[in-house]
Amino acid sequence: MIATYTRKELMVVAAAREIRDGEVVFVGMRLPLLGFGLAKATHAPTAVGLFENGVIRDRPAEAFIYTMGDPSNIVGAIACLGLNDVMSLLQQGRVDVGFIGGAEIDPNGNLNTTRTSSSGSLVRLPGSGGGADIASLAGRTVLIMEHEPRRFRERVDYITSPGHFPGRRRGGPATLITTLGVFDLSRGQVRAVSLHPGVTAAQVRDATGFTIAIDDSVPATTPPSTDELGYIRRADPEGFWTGDRRKGE
Amino acid sequence: VKKLRPSLAEAVAEQVHDGDAVALGLALESGIPFAAVHEIIRQQRKDLTLIGPISDMAFDQLIAAGRVAKVIAAWVGNVAGGSGYGFRRAYEQGQPRRIVMEDHSNFTVGLALKAAAMGLPYLPTFTGLGGDIVRGHPRIRPIDDPFDGPALLAVGAIKPDVAIVHVQRADASGNAHLWGNLGLTVEAAYAARRTIVVCEEIVADDVIRSDPNRTMIPGFLVTAVVEEPGGALPSSVQGYWRRDFETFLRYHRLSKTADGYQSWLKEWVLDLPDRAAYLRHMGDAAVEHLRVNDRRLAAAANFAP
């Protein structure tokens, strides 16, 4: 029997597959946090995770965590330092891959999490947090987005986290994981790598406010294995980050 | 100079003034000095500048109470729910008053505090190049590398008037032991003109001296120290308190409207005299549910000469 899974569980699995064994990972919250744990438990056992509050871990937290500062993310850490310490490692080029999300994205992989007037009136968003730093300084970045037309825009109102631009020192957006598929951004053009099972190319084009390359032969995203799902459900037993499993959301 | 204050009310009255630049929420999601935040609101300090990296709910509460003129931060919201509605009302509609926002990334806040902590006018960085945060920024400017490398950005120092930090334990001189994630706690305490240390426990100074590597803030930098157990709730304190996630979510829902915020403010700040009353208002069962009773002790370190 093929296990049923939520869209967010599939995104966690896609995020985990972006981490290679031995890499230093700047871990975000929510789905990337679970993705890091899943990668550690499967194909990347020697990956090391940095958190912007100063925590360095080489194994996932033992219990469910809401934030990177939760006591369970401190227990069993290999180091608890300061923000400038981990950001310095990032700036020095010691971080292979970082995960970031945004409210809006453009074809260059620029992310906006600061302010937007796309709905007609000004909406203030929370801001960069560490997003602009990860976008600027990581060896490559993986972007995680809800795939909706109002979020996929030809131009974003504000570039919080810079994508590809002339004169970039290193890195830049490599992969975009959305609620509809996985996309390559590494050549400054958005190209579908896989669409999630059941998603059509037309659906993706309708949800994207800019041109996106989708080959007729684009494969479906490989669904989570039983082992992968088992890990995710142990790490997020209530489905807090990965959605309501009964609804198959 | 005697630094131990009998109450947080006294420490805030003495150390935090109208118009001050106040750094808090420096460890990121843990150890946020909410008791001090609520005391600042009760004492009606005004025209404050708030400084911090992310500011999980604390900045939102102060902004919505009309206490804030300016925010210097990388992220203002509620980690549990995303948006900070008080911040949005102030920024989008000028309610209850207009605020000036100085947007940063976490690292540029860190570099600005570090520069001040080092006694420097600025620190150079590559972060933010190619993005809009650093474009026309009042505190971040392009500079040439004097060693002929690629162009850099200079992040100007931020020197807070007062930093407020919550730690596990301190002695009566303000020497503070802190463990777990540090965020920008140390930089802010070094940079600030005054520092209030709020602690779970006042301990004898030989406890501090038994493990000097754990002293993140030496007491001579501290201007007031107060024992306020549970003073960081609903944020966590390693070894003392778990995170009270439900309270963050409840505030997120309530603060969606200005009226909802006002009802929260009355119930949890204005109608309560102090943190002890706040804990009583939570109820024993809720407080005990969050209290850490387990032990995961670090191995002892031998300091014998």
Side-chain angles (χ1 to χ4, degrees), chain A residues 38-99:
Chain A
L38 176 58
K40 291 283 307 175
T42 53
H43 63 275
T46 66
V48 173
L50 306 187
F51 294 82
E52 61 197 353
N53 61 1
V55 172
I56 303 181
R57 298 194 67 92
D58 64 355
R59 62 169 83 130
E62 295 163 22
F64 177 79
I65 58 175
Y66 291 105
T67 80
M68 64 180 75
D70 284 11
S72 294
N73 203 41
I74 308 305
V75 174
I78 49 175
C80 285
L81 306 168
L83 184 147
N84 283 330
D85 299 308
V86 289
M87 288 295 181
S88 297
L89 293 170
L90 184 65
Q91 182 162 260
Q92 196 201 125
R94 294 281 188 132
V95 173
D96 298 294
V97 58
F99 290 85

Side-chain angles (χ1 to χ4, degrees), chain A residues 91, chain B residues 107 111 122-126 143 152-155:
Chain A
Q91 182 162 260
Chain B
F107 197 19
L111 290 165
Y122 67 86
L123 280 170
T125 185
F126 297 116
I143 51 166
L152 292 159
L153 295 167
V155 181

Side-chain angles (χ1 to χ4, degrees), chain A residues 171-183:
Chain A
T175 304
L176 165 68
I177 298 168
T178 78
T179 40
L180 298 182
V182 179
F183 304 87

Side-chain angles (χ1 to χ4, degrees), chain A residues 21-210:
Chain A
D21 196 21
E23 287 194 321
V24 177
V25 184
F26 215 95
V27 187
M29 287 311 297
R30 301 174 185 241
L31 305 186
L33 178 76
L34 294 170
F36 172 68
L38 176 58
K40 291 283 307 175
T42 53
H43 63 275
T46 66
V48 173
L50 306 187
F51 294 82
E52 61 197 353
N53 61 1
V55 172
I56 303 181
R57 298 194 67 92
D58 64 355
R59 62 169 83 130
E62 295 163 22
F64 177 79
I65 58 175
Y66 291 105
T67 80
M68 64 180 75
D70 284 11
S72 294
N73 203 41
I74 308 305
V75 174
I78 49 175
C80 285
L81 306 168
L83 184 147
N84 283 330
D85 299 308
V86 289
M87 288 295 181
S88 297
L89 293 170
L90 184 65
Q91 182 162 260
Q92 196 201 125
R94 294 281 188 132
V95 173
D96 298 294
V97 58
F99 290 85
I100 39 178
E104 295 181 347
I105 186 169
D106 74 11
N108 289 315
N110 291 309
L111 295 179
N112 178 12
T113 55
T114 302
R115 56 180 146 83
T116 178
S117 300
S118 64
S119 62
S121 54
L122 174 69
V123 174
R124 175 66 212 204
L125 304 165
S128 159
D133 305 313
I134 297 167
S136 297
L137 303 171
R140 66 181 192 281
T141 48
V142 177
L143 317 183
I144 313 263
M145 292 280 303
E146 299 269 336
H147 208 135
E148 298 170 0
R150 67 188 176 97
R151 297 179 183 278
F152 280 63
R153 305 183 61 200
E154 195 58 58
R155 283 176 71 90
V156 292
D157 285 3
Y158 186 101
I159 300 174
T160 311
S161 298
H164 293 289
F165 63 92
R168 177 178 254 289
R169 287 175 59 83
R170 76 163 81 92
T175 304
L176 165 68
I177 298 168
T178 78
T179 40
L180 298 182
V182 179
F183 304 87
D184 177 62
L185 282 173
S186 58
R187 274 157 286 180
Q189 180 216 15
V190 183
R191 192 181 55 80
V193 173
S194 67
L195 303 186
H196 299 333
V199 173
T200 65
Q203 232 178 310
V204 174
R205 287 199 182 94
D206 286 349
T208 309
F210 50 77

